[in-house]
């Protein structure tokens, strides 16, 4: 059944970190939906504000089974981001609620940031800029530096962002290999990417770029054993999720010279203390989960998330149903 003509769907936004949410509002105004943005801090707050919502839109807030079970009117959950580790997808699926995300808004931006981190850490750009600011004018402070041409760029995960990063690495003359258990070789032949095991990617790569979602299968998959497989001169790049790396093992690998360096845009916690040992190391560059951001990406993200909600509540098939439920229940 289609939506009742006299009914105005209610969409609750649980939280957000954007300077402006006007793109959300514009989409919902055009659709004739009632949009209620909040900055919820607890599960109780989410339940209270979303108890009559047809759809819940979420950014960082955790949507647990407790919350899902307390929202009997909810017909759709959409995350305005890529990763879904803050939503109990299994609980939503059990309740018959489709869960969707926006996986394609920042492909260009995140892949470029991965390459940026690779170039910066392999060229030791942080050391160069810091020493110039300190009054030194000597390239030799970075010795040794090696060119990346003809080196191996290894992907852990080979989705859309990784594939875009692969093209950019290939433009620098790098050979690309990848680990992705959900792909077969003929699916990436046209991209000139060779699929390998995780161990082979670690052993053969001069740069390992992580593009894995955070799931029970991938949590801390980059650990002591993985670092032990890597070349002593290899670098690790992570623009995916911090939780896929065991950070104690990473720190040890960096401190002992087991790997040459790391460029990190994400950490297991979305902040870092000033005295964290990672910040004291010359062979580490850290950015504050900034890979996704450009003005264009932010606008696309906001409009695409809201448009997915409108599609779902209007009875249209979802563009990106994460739990494979393509339609929201209709009134």
């Amino acid at each position: 059944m289609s939506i009742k003509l006299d009914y105005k769907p209610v969409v609750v936004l649980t939280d957000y970190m954007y300077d402006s949410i006007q793109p959300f509002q514009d989409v919902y105004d055009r659709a004739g939906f009632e949009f209620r943005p909040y900055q919820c801090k607890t599960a109780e707050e989410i339940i209270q504000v979303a108890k009559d919502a047809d759809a819940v839109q979420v950014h960082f807030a955790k949507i647990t089974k407790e919350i899902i079970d307390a929202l009997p009117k909810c017909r759709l959950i959409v995350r305005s981001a890529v990763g879904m580790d803050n939503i109990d997808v299994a609980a939503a699926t059990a309740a018959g609620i489709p869960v969707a995300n926006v996986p394609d808004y920042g492909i260009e931006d995140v892949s470029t940031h991965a390459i940026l981190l690779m170039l910066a850490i392999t060229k030791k750009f942080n050391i160069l800029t810091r020493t110039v600011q300190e009054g030194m004018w000597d390239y030799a402070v970075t010795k040794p530096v090696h060119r990346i041409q003809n080196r191996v760029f290894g992907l852990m995960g080979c989705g859309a962002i990784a594939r875009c990063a692969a093209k950019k690495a290939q433009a620098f003359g790098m050979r690309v290999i990848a680990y992705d258990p959900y792909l077969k070789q003929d699916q990436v032949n046209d991209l000139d990417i060779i699929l390998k095991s995780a161990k082979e990617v670690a052993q053969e790569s001069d740069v390992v770029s992580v593009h894995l979602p955070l799931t029970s299968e991938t949590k801390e998959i980059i650990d002591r054993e993985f670092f032990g497989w890597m070349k002593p001169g290899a670098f690790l790049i992570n623009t995916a999720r911090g939780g896929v790396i065991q950070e104690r093992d990473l720190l040890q690998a960096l401190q002992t010279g087991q790997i040459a360096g790391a460029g990190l845009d994400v950490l297991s916690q979305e902040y870092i203390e000033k005295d964290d040992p990672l910040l004291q190391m010359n062979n580490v560059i850290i950015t504050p989960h900034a890979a996704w951001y450009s003005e264009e990406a932010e606008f696309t993200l906001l409009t695409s998330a809201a448009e997915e909600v409108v599609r779902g509540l209007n009875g249209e098939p979802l563009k990106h149903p994460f739990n494979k439920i393509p339609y929201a229940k209709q009134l």
Side-chain angles (χ1 to χ4, degrees), residues 30 53 85 124 128 198 206 227 275-276 286-287 307 321 325-326:
R30 288 194 296 269
D85 42 291
K124 302 179 183 177
L128 290 170
D206 298 289
F227 293 124
D275 59 352
D276 191 293
I286 299 175
T287 54
E307 287 168 353
I325 303 178

Side-chain angles (χ1 to χ4, degrees), residues 235-257:
F235 297 86
L236 180 76
I237 306 298
N238 189 11
T239 53
R241 284 291 182 268
V244 303
I245 295 176
Q246 168 48 259
E247 287 179 0
R248 289 191 302 273
D249 294 348
L250 170 62
L251 180 61
Q252 183 178 34
L254 290 164
Q255 289 174 332
T256 62

Side-chain angles (χ1 to χ4, degrees), residues 53-262:
D54 294 279
V56 172
Q57 190 178 325
V58 58
H59 191 194
F60 286 128
K62 289 189 178 297
I63 305 300
T64 62
K65 184 179 187 301
E66 172 196 6
I67 293 172
I68 292 168
D69 289 345
L71 303 178
K73 290 190 64 178
C74 181
R75 300 185 279 128
L76 176 63
I77 299 171
V78 173
R79 187 175 187 208
S80 51
V82 179
M84 302 294 275
D85 42 291
N86 62 324
I87 299 174
D88 191 331
V89 177
T93 303
I97 300 173
V99 180
N101 61 349
V102 189
D104 53 358
Y105 77 95
I107 293 172
E108 182 67 31
D109 307 272
V110 178
S111 62
T112 295
H113 201 89
I115 299 299
L116 169 65
L117 287 173
M118 176 184 71
L119 295 175
I121 196 63
T122 58
K123 193 69 175 179
K124 302 179 183 177
F125 201 71
N126 56 325
I127 298 176
L128 290 170
T129 55
R130 191 192 70 244
T131 53
V132 168
Q133 291 169 350
E134 292 171 350
M136 295 178 62
W137 192 265
D138 185 4
Y139 75 91
V141 295
T142 63
K143 285 191 172 183
V145 166
H146 300 283
R147 65 178 55 161
I148 61 172
Q149 185 183 28
N150 299 321
R151 301 280 177 167
V152 178
F153 187 68
L155 302 168
M156 288 296 290
C158 196
I161 293 172
R163 295 179 188 204
C164 193
K167 291 181 183 178
K168 294 170 183 178
Q170 289 164 340
F172 286 101
M174 301 185 80
R175 183 166 67 89
V176 180
I177 62 177
Y179 163 75
D180 194 312
Y182 299 102
L183 292 178
K184 295 181 179 180
Q185 184 59 54
D186 60 7
Q187 294 176 274
V188 294
N189 280 340
D190 61 330
L191 303 173
D192 200 18
I193 296 172
I194 305 300
L195 292 181
K196 303 269 188 174
S197 68
K199 184 176 182 179
E200 288 171 327
V201 168
Q203 290 175 328
E204 298 177 23
S205 298
D206 298 289
V207 177
V208 174
S209 188
V210 181
H211 300 278
L212 295 166
L214 180 58
T215 68
S216 58
E217 295 177 343
T218 64
K219 183 175 175 59
E220 298 185 350
I221 192 174
I222 313 294
D223 59 5
R224 183 189 304 267
E225 182 178 39
F226 189 93
F227 293 124
W229 294 332
M230 289 178 68
K231 300 176 183 179
F235 297 86
L236 180 76
I237 306 298
N238 189 11
T239 53
R241 284 291 182 268
V244 303
I245 295 176
Q246 168 48 259
E247 287 179 0
R248 289 191 302 273
D249 294 348
L250 170 62
L251 180 61
Q252 183 178 34
L254 290 164
Q255 289 174 332
T256 62
Q258 195 169 26
I259 66 172

